[in-house]
Amino acid sequence: MKRISVVSDLHIFCSRSNWEKKLSAIEEAIQSSDIFVFNGDTFDFRWANEEKANDVFQQAVQFLRSIVLKNPKCQIHLNLGNHDHHRQFCQLLTQLENELPNFSWHPYYLRIGNIVFLHGDASIRKMRHSQLQKYRARWEHKPTRNDAFLNQIYDVAVQMKTHVVVSRLYFRRRRTARNLLWYLEDLALGKNSGITEVYFGHTHVPLRNFRYKGITFHNSGTAYKGMKLNILRTLVL
């Protein structure tokens, strides 16, 4: 049996994230796991509080390199989400993957045995893979947004916990699972493929053991201020 841990939506580089408070727990989980999955939006290039995008990409790679080198016995996977799916970053990830044997990255999803890991932005609506690719393409060249006014609006929303209410209202469990299963069926990764567990992110709503049409769905939440982040653990043959 392989021990797997997974976490999503750290939104590193975004001022609205408390990811640093979870770093020691993440490092402990990596040390006690055979496989660790960063499940999308690990980094937030869209709302990065850095002036130069290239510096942010290099810092992200250095963060990953440091963790991977410290844990040679753990296979570390990085799934991309919409906030860290940037073409320049992808090029750097390919170089890092070639450099480090226990690191792999995946633009859309990862399957390990009977489990699928994906970021979960396909839960926005019923979406085929080709549609998700078009959606992500709009993020690949987006610059970091250093708009002080918009940042202030989002900061106020977080302080008032508006984002918590909106996420829970929009991403209802059954609707979210239905949309994800629709997407997975398009990839031939539905219930007839042997998949029994799905770990996803994006919605920022923690979820454990939600059963829908024979598949169990899990979400680790987010490091966004005012919301909850869990490091989820499971086993796979």
Side-chain angles (χ1 to χ4, degrees), residues 6-11 37-42 79-82 108 116-124 136 167 171 176-177 180 198-207 217-222 229-230 232:
V6 55
V7 71
S8 66
D9 294 277
L10 296 179
H11 288 276
V37 181
F38 288 103
N39 210 17
D41 283 1
T42 302
N79 271 341
L80 295 183
N82 50 308
Y108 295 103
V116 169
F117 302 87
L118 75 166
H119 178 55
D121 39 346
S123 64
I124 297 171
R136 287 282 189 90
S167 294
F171 292 108
T176 299
L180 287 175
V198 173
Y199 286 80
F200 68 101
H202 187 72
T203 70
H204 293 182
V205 181
L207 182 67
F217 292 82
H218 314 268
N219 189 311
S220 63
T222 179
L229 180 69
N230 301 307
L232 303 181

Side-chain angles (χ1 to χ4, degrees), residues 132-226:
L132 181 62
Q133 288 177 310
K134 290 179 181 178
Y135 169 75
R136 287 282 189 90
R138 297 199 296 269
W139 292 82
E140 286 187 7
H141 299 284
K142 282 187 177 181
T144 57
R145 183 178 286 279
N146 294 309
D147 189 315
F149 178 69
L150 281 177
N151 263 312
Q152 286 177 0
I153 291 176
Y154 277 102
D155 287 344
V156 170
V158 168
Q159 289 171 9
M160 297 178 65
K161 296 189 176 182
T162 305
H163 61 311
V164 178
V165 177
V166 171
S167 294
R168 291 189 178 278
L169 285 175
Y170 186 80
F171 292 108
R172 294 187 179 276
R173 296 183 301 176
R174 184 177 178 84
R175 178 181 182 273
T176 299
R178 179 202 67 191
N179 290 350
L180 287 175
L181 187 55
W182 176 276
Y183 171 74
L184 291 171
E185 291 284 4
D186 187 56
L187 291 171
L189 290 172
K191 56 185 177 181
N192 294 327
S193 68
I195 294 298
T196 60
E197 306 275 335
V198 173
Y199 286 80
F200 68 101
H202 187 72
T203 70
H204 293 182
V205 181
L207 182 67
R208 293 198 191 204
N209 301 316
F210 179 70
R211 295 280 292 175
Y212 179 77
K213 293 191 174 181
I215 295 180
T216 306
F217 292 82
H218 314 268
N219 189 311
S220 63
T222 179
Y224 253 41
K225 295 175 181 177

